[in-house]
Amino acid sequence: MAYQIIELALDANDNVIERKPVPHPLETRGEAVTLVESAISHYPRRGYDPKQDSWWAIAGNGDRMRFVIEGA
């Protein structure tokens, strides 16, 4: 199974306002996790939410993002 990263832009109440898939699928979940962790590394506030199995990030300007991994 291939995996795809979905980037979700959130409003202040954590409602999804934009859904953007990463353009290419990845062969393993491990590759997807590595790519997400690399993508969020430049955000000043970031982390992993085990309850939702997703990663979150907040930019310096307050923009809120969530990253999920789905089967492609």
Side-chain angles (χ1 to χ4, degrees):
M1 172 193 290
Y3 295 88
Q4 185 157 19
I5 298 168
I6 308 297
E7 179 181 327
L8 306 170
L10 307 174
D11 67 13
N13 297 315
D14 287 337
N15 297 310
V16 176
I17 56 174
E18 183 179 0
R19 176 183 162 89
K20 183 171 65 171
V22 171
H24 61 280
L26 300 154
E27 289 187 27
T28 68
R29 180 171 168 79
E31 289 174 330
V33 168
T34 299
L35 188 58
V36 168
E37 290 177 346
S38 175
I40 69 170
S41 68
H42 70 278
Y43 288 91
R45 295 179 13 205
R46 61 193 179 272
Y48 175 72
D49 180 354
K51 290 181 183 178
Q52 294 189 28
D53 190 24
S54 64
W55 291 258
W56 58 271
I58 301 173
N61 66 0
D63 287 350
R64 302 166 66 84
M65 309 299 292
R66 184 170 297 277
F67 298 86
V68 296
I69 297 172
E70 298 178 347

